[in-house]
Structures are given as structure tokens and as C-alpha cells.
Amino acid sequence: MPSPRTFTALVNPSAGGSAAAARLVPLARLLRDAGAEVVVEYTRGLEHATALARGAAGAGHVVLGVGGDGMVGCVGGALAGTGAVFGIVPAGRGNDFARQLRVPSGPAELAELLLEGEPRPVDAVEANGTPVLGSVYAGVDAVANDNANKSRLLRGQASYYVGALRAMATWRPAAYRITVDGEVLERRGYTVVAANSGYYGFGRRIAPGARVDDGLLDIVVIGDAPRPLFFAVMRELSDGSHVRRPQVEVLRGREVRIELAEPGRTLPYGADGELPGTLPVTARIMPAALRVLAPADPPEDPPGRF
């Protein structure tokens, strides 16, 4: 019988209104009751989390990212390409990468996965040299994300919805130059998303056909449209049916560069719920770069793959 695993849990103490620390307590108890060792580290920021993750991986520990997509993307990105084993404890507002991987949220189910599950190879994304996990996006969604992150009164989907309304109030369509595997496209519209995971923005299914193990990015372009139609598209993100609209274009490739084709304008880009900088951004797939404790994908394509 194999020896119990040793875990280092990296906790973002502010994720989800301090829910991350509370979520870890019953899980850690179950892991320890099963004979596992659990070391808990509270992070002071993303750079600190990166250093802690690499140190724990170097000691042979299974590294747990406890928090939302920003924390999970940071810790998972730090481990990409190292061969370390990564576990996700979804405890933030969005938890979109955990949702894509069908990681359970209940303590008992999650403890069983972490104790007995086999590591699954999944892709990561290099965004301007920084590994991330879920998606890279530039447009009104990045502005909305910024607004949601700054919200102190609202949480989860409510904060994103209000943030999106604020972003739309001042938005004008952007002219994008999108280079996919060397092919240059000129598009005008609301956003460009390079997706490894199908979900972003607190459960919105931006790229319903995306897989985390196919070695490709799904690049979703939401083109120019009247605002009422754009809001209809936003509602359809709940089930991924927006991709059937002619204003929505889905491309696939291993590398995409997103830049603005209009001088004098700047636009932020987002990655895993964080806002690393402004355009341009180059996103490259990193095939099978991360070993994650997650359920195996069903043999058929996930629902919504068109």
C-alpha cells in the first residue's frame, strides 16, 4: 500500500471574503485523519505564492492551491513544466478552472480525490512569458474584471455583472489585430479570448468546445454588434449557445498574439482573473505542462463542443 501523500496547502487568506481559510479546515482534518501530512502556508501575494509553490514541489509535496482562479492560476502556473503534482481546493469567487476539471467542492469528495486520485496531464498557457491556466482575454471583459476585482460590496457573479454594466457604459468597439499561428486577422468588436478552459468570468462558458488536454487554444472573438445584441450574447454565455451567432467567431491554434490596431488607445488584458498588463499579449499553449489531481475526462466530447 503506498504511503500517504504529503501536502502543502497554499492559502490566499483574502479569497472569497476569507472563505479560502474556512474551506481548508474540514478538508485538512480529513486528510490528516487518513494519515497524510498537511502543511499550511498563508500567502502574502502572488510572488510569495510562486516561491512557496516551487519550494514545496522541490521537497516532493503535492501542492494545493486554495482560493479562486487567480490563486489557482498562480500556483499552477508556477508548477507548469516541473513535473510536480498539483491539487485544487476551489474557494474563491469564480473557481472556473476547477469547474472545467470537475473538481468536487465537498470536503469528503475532494479529500478522496486528493488522497487516491491519479495525476492527470493538462495544458497550460504562457501569456507574455508567464504561465497561466484558464484563459487570456482582452476587451470589455477585462475592463469588467477590473471593476469586479475593485468591488467591496458585491461578490461572485453579482460583482461581475455590475462590473460589466459599468464597463459597457463607456465602451466603444476596439480594432484588433489577431495573429493565430502566423495568420493575421483584422477584427473589430468587444473582446478576444484565448481559452484553454471553457469557463471564465464566474461560470460563463465562453469557449464551450475548449479542452485542457488537446494542445490547442480556442480563440473566441465577439465582434461588433448593437448593444442589445451584445447583452443577448452575454446571457447566452451561461450555456455556450452564443457561439452559434454570426457575430461570434471561434478559431483554434497553438499561439495567438492579440494587439490593438488603432494608435493611441490602450486596453488591459486579463489572465485567470488577474490583470497583468495592457495589450499586446502573446499566448502560447504549453501541452501537458501540468500534473493535476482531477477526475478523468469522459470519453466523449464535453457538452457544447461544436
Side-chain angles (χ1 to χ4, degrees), residues 63-230:
V63 184
L64 304 181
V66 186
D69 287 305
M71 181 67 170
V72 168
C74 170
V75 175
L79 301 178
T82 68
V85 178
F86 178 49
I88 299 171
V89 181
R93 292 186 297 181
N95 304 319
D96 287 313
F97 197 69
R99 181 179 289 106
Q100 176 74 24
L101 290 175
R102 298 181 296 114
V103 173
S105 58
E109 296 84 358
L110 183 54
E112 181 180 1
L113 173 66
L114 296 176
L115 289 165
E116 301 178 10
E118 290 297 321
R120 172 186 169 189
V122 303
D123 303 337
V125 184
E126 183 186 79
N128 279 359
T130 299
V132 297
L133 300 184
S135 63
V136 178
Y137 46 93
V140 70
D141 45 5
V143 178
N145 194 168
D146 187 36
N147 293 339
N149 286 347
K150 292 176 179 176
S151 173
R152 293 294 178 264
L153 299 177
L154 299 173
R155 298 291 179 188
Q157 291 193 12
S159 67
Y160 191 86
Y161 183 75
V162 173
L165 290 177
R166 289 179 54 202
M168 282 298 298
T170 57
W171 178 259
R172 59 182 175 86
Y176 295 100
R177 181 176 298 109
I178 309 163
T179 307
V180 181
D181 291 345
E183 181 181 356
V184 180
L185 308 169
E186 302 281 348
R187 297 291 186 269
R188 185 172 182 84
Y190 286 94
T191 191
V192 182
V193 182
N196 182 37
S197 165
Y199 294 95
Y200 87 150
F202 311 112
R204 287 164 169 80
R205 201 162 191 192
I206 184 64
R211 297 184 64 102
V212 295
D213 58 3
D214 63 356
L216 293 171
L217 294 166
D218 280 37
I219 300 133
V220 181
V221 183
I222 299 180
D224 199 4
R227 291 195 183 199
L229 181 58
F230 175 76

